[in-house]
Amino acid sequence: MIKLNKVTSYWNSINSNIKGFTYILIAASIFPIMGTIIKYLTSELHPFQIAFFRCFFGFLIILPLILRNNPKEIIKTNRIYLHLLRGILGIGALMAGFSALAMMPLASAVTLGFTRILFLVPLAIIFLGEKPSLFRIAFTLLGFIGVTIMIDPNNTQGITIYAGAIALLGAFFVSCVKLTVKSLSQNQSTLTIQFYYGIISTVGLIIPSIIFWKNIDIQHLFLIFIAAICGTVAQMFTIWGLRHGEATFVMPADYSRLIFATFYGYIIFFEIPNLNEILGGIIIIFSTLTIMLLPRIYDKYKAL
């Protein structure tokens, strides 16, 4: 008990940015575990089945929180159509993401997932009327050049054009989800957003999962449940990280998930990235990090 108090006391004395960075780092180590489980399951189950049970178990995990926090207020909403759109986009993101995991190395799927930041630039122009600088546009184009380097058009090794397109589609859907969640969060609680997503995604995936049903056993269900727990826990650590530290300080830790994904992919699937995947990945990470961090640093510098 005394040792625990010492650990707690030491943790409380740590700088808030360091705490936030640590939380994001933990989240980055957990997210690829979910991806590893999903990738393993795609060899035996259809992605629709996996997505359905992932959403269903995810909803069960947050249900006790909803029941304990005034469920009538949580369910109340005047933006049901935007919740519906967020649910449909979320289903698209899951299906594309899970399908991409089945077709490429785990680390490559994680790297292409970071292109969601690149998609946010044109989406913000179209839907939010933002006017990004030439700086952002240039690094967005550079990021997509990195994508073309990663993809092997000859289909002789690595990532095929089809697999890359599916992964990019998933990243695009994730970007759309972020925009809808940003809009919903203006007057909807986190639990309200999670409640409607859980309901809409689970119901929306019932029929497709039945159509493409494959034999499923307790082991499969257990692994999907573990994946759902990993996703939920990693999201919690991400929220804590952003709450404790400045985004410009803590979010670079999120890119360490590529290191964890490479390690898990090698240990579980004996995956070794080839040269074009490494070079393309470096360009994508550099571009997305630059787009995400430098404008915020510049704004802070101007405020001094």
Side-chain angles (χ1 to χ4, degrees):
M1 190 67 178
I2 297 176
K3 289 184 178 180
L4 182 60
N5 289 335
K6 287 184 177 180
V7 171
T8 303
S9 178
Y10 174 74
W11 178 252
N12 291 335
S13 68
I14 294 176
N15 178 276
S16 59
N17 276 336
I18 300 298
K19 286 182 184 178
F21 190 92
T22 303
Y23 283 134
I24 298 295
L25 191 64
I26 294 171
S29 69
I30 297 174
F31 271 125
I33 295 176
M34 181 181 70
T36 302
I37 295 172
I38 299 301
K39 182 175 177 62
Y40 170 77
L41 290 170
T42 54
S43 64
E44 300 181 16
L45 302 174
H46 194 279
F48 272 121
Q49 282 178 284
I50 302 172
F52 167 73
F53 284 109
R54 164 67 181 88
C55 292
F56 176 68
F57 288 143
F59 179 70
L60 289 183
I61 290 170
I62 67 165
L63 190 58
L65 292 175
I66 294 171
L67 294 175
R68 284 169 48 190
N69 289 274
N70 197 349
K72 287 185 178 180
E73 285 298 316
I74 291 172
I75 295 172
K76 187 186 300 182
T77 182
N78 58 356
R79 308 188 71 183
I80 188 63
Y81 292 111
L82 193 56
H83 282 292
L84 181 61
L85 177 61
R86 185 260 187 272
I88 293 171
L89 291 171
I91 290 173
L94 278 180
M95 290 307 305
F98 290 179
S99 298
L101 281 170
M103 295 185 287
M104 66 179 64
L106 180 63
S108 298
V110 169
T111 302
L112 289 176
F114 286 129
T115 60
R116 62 187 180 271
I117 296 172
L118 305 179
F119 281 114
L120 282 173
V121 175
L123 285 172
I125 295 173
I126 296 170
F127 295 105
L128 301 180
E130 293 185 3
K131 296 180 180 179
S133 63
L134 291 176
F135 168 88
R136 277 198 167 194
I137 295 173
F139 277 95
T140 299
L141 294 174
L142 179 63
F144 284 114
I145 290 173
V147 173
T148 63
I149 293 174
M150 286 189 69
I151 295 172
D152 177 19
N154 298 317
N155 193 18
T156 56
Q157 60 177 347
I159 304 169
T160 65
I161 293 177
Y162 176 71
I166 294 296
L168 290 176
L169 181 63
F172 171 76
F173 280 134
V174 170
S175 298
C176 293
V177 166
K178 286 183 176 295
L179 289 179
T180 57
V181 170
K182 182 177 180 179
S183 177
L184 285 168
S185 61
Q186 293 175 1
N187 61 357
Q188 307 278 279
S189 70
T190 301
L191 283 178
T192 299
I193 296 172
Q194 290 177 317
F195 170 79
Y196 280 102
Y197 173 66
I199 291 290
I200 293 167
S201 59
T202 301
V203 172
L205 285 164
I206 289 176
I207 294 177
S209 66
I210 291 174
I211 293 173
F212 295 96
W213 190 265
K214 292 184 179 180
N215 289 334
I216 188 169
D217 57 30
I218 295 298
Q219 180 185 354
H220 294 140
L221 293 174
F222 175 74
L223 287 174
I224 298 173
F225 184 68
I226 295 299
I229 291 176
C230 288
T232 303
V233 170
Q235 287 171 354
M236 289 173 58
F237 274 107
T238 300
I239 292 170
W240 292 340
L242 291 171
R243 184 179 296 162
H244 278 82
E246 299 174 16
T248 52
F249 188 93
V250 304
M251 282 314 293
D254 187 47
Y255 284 80
S256 66
R257 73 168 74 184
L258 179 58
I259 299 173
F260 290 109
T262 302
F263 176 72
Y264 300 154
Y266 176 74
I267 294 296
I268 306 298
F269 306 110
F270 308 104
E271 296 172 343
I272 301 177
N274 56 40
L275 182 60
N276 62 320
E277 290 170 359
I278 294 173
L279 291 177
I282 290 172
I283 292 173
I284 291 171
I285 290 172
F286 174 72
S287 301
T288 53
L289 261 175
T290 303
I291 290 171
M292 182 174 64
L293 296 180
L294 285 190
R296 296 176 183 176
I297 295 173
Y298 177 69
D299 289 341
K300 289 184 67 175
Y301 174 78
K302 284 199 307 181
L304 293 177

